[in-house]
Amino acid sequence: MEAAADAVMAENLAVVERLREPGDDLRAALEDMAYRMLQVCCGERSRALRRLTYAQAADFPDLIEIVQGRTAIRPGEAPADRPARLSPARLSPAGRPRPGDPARAAEQLLALLTGPMEVRSRPGTRKVSAAETRTVARSAVDTFLRAYEAAATEPPDPRAGGPVAAARRRCRLS
């Protein structure tokens, strides 16, 4: 099982490594990375590993930690340094540095990818089409970039009531 988890991790890390040289179109590079990562996560090896882990979790609770540590946590950390290396101006139209922790940003992007796929695949029991997978990848990257662009372009106003209040005001103005 560890060998299968290591193989999935190696595939994910190879996908993430492509962000080392994202080119001029950051959105396209992130969408490509997201789609390819979802292909790995929805591949037969990953689905079998998930099913086996879920089935054995009650008897072997450490199994979840082993599998997650090799398939979800470390690949989630790997993309953290890629966005951090990218010029802040590429994430922010105003050129301001985006706030936050790159590891947290990578974790959030991973959640935006895996959450919808888990629902669509009905915990690995349904094959998800390439078109659906691309839609999830595009939506996740769109949400991710919107969140970080908004955070980077709008300095916090202590009188504004925080980001939730600011988002509500933007929705009312739109």
Side-chain angles (χ1 to χ4, degrees):
M1 211 147 134
E2 289 179 7
D6 286 342
V8 169
M9 180 181 64
E11 289 178 64
N12 276 328
L13 291 174
V15 168
V16 170
E17 186 61 27
R18 298 173 70 128
L19 278 183
R20 190 175 288 279
E21 298 292 330
D24 292 334
D25 189 347
L26 177 61
R27 178 179 293 272
L30 285 171
E31 284 180 10
D32 180 63
M33 186 252 349
Y35 176 73
R36 290 173 187 276
M37 188 171 277
L38 286 175
Q39 286 181 308
V40 172
C41 292
C42 294
E44 187 53 43
R45 182 188 337 237
S46 294
R47 289 185 9 234
L49 189 58
R50 248 187 331 277
R51 285 190 305 265
L52 184 58
T53 303
Y54 290 155
Q56 298 300 317
D59 294 328
F60 303 102
D62 292 347
L63 194 57
I64 292 173
E65 189 174 319
I66 291 167
V67 172
Q68 269 190 340
R70 286 184 158 84
T71 60
I73 296 167
R74 286 183 55 200
E77 292 168 357
D81 70 335
R82 301 305 181 262
R85 290 181 191 168
L86 300 171
S87 164
R90 296 181 73 176
L91 287 178
S92 165
R96 294 188 185 108
R98 64 176 173 69
D101 175 10
R104 183 174 300 142
E107 177 183 64
Q108 289 169 349
L109 178 58
L110 194 58
L112 289 168
L113 291 167
T114 57
M117 288 306 288
E118 190 74 2
V119 170
R120 289 173 188 239
S121 72
R122 295 183 183 94
T125 62
R126 176 184 171 268
K127 188 163 175 61
V128 180
S129 72
E132 280 184 281
T133 303
R134 282 209 186 278
T135 297
V136 169
R138 238 185 332 271
S139 295
V141 169
D142 186 58
T143 300
F144 178 79
L145 288 177
R146 284 175 188 259
Y148 278 86
E149 285 173 348
T153 59
E154 297 175 12
D157 180 355
R159 299 165 295 159
V164 173
R168 285 185 184 136
R169 281 192 303 283
R170 280 195 303 275
C171 288
R172 276 186 250 132
L173 296 173
S174 303

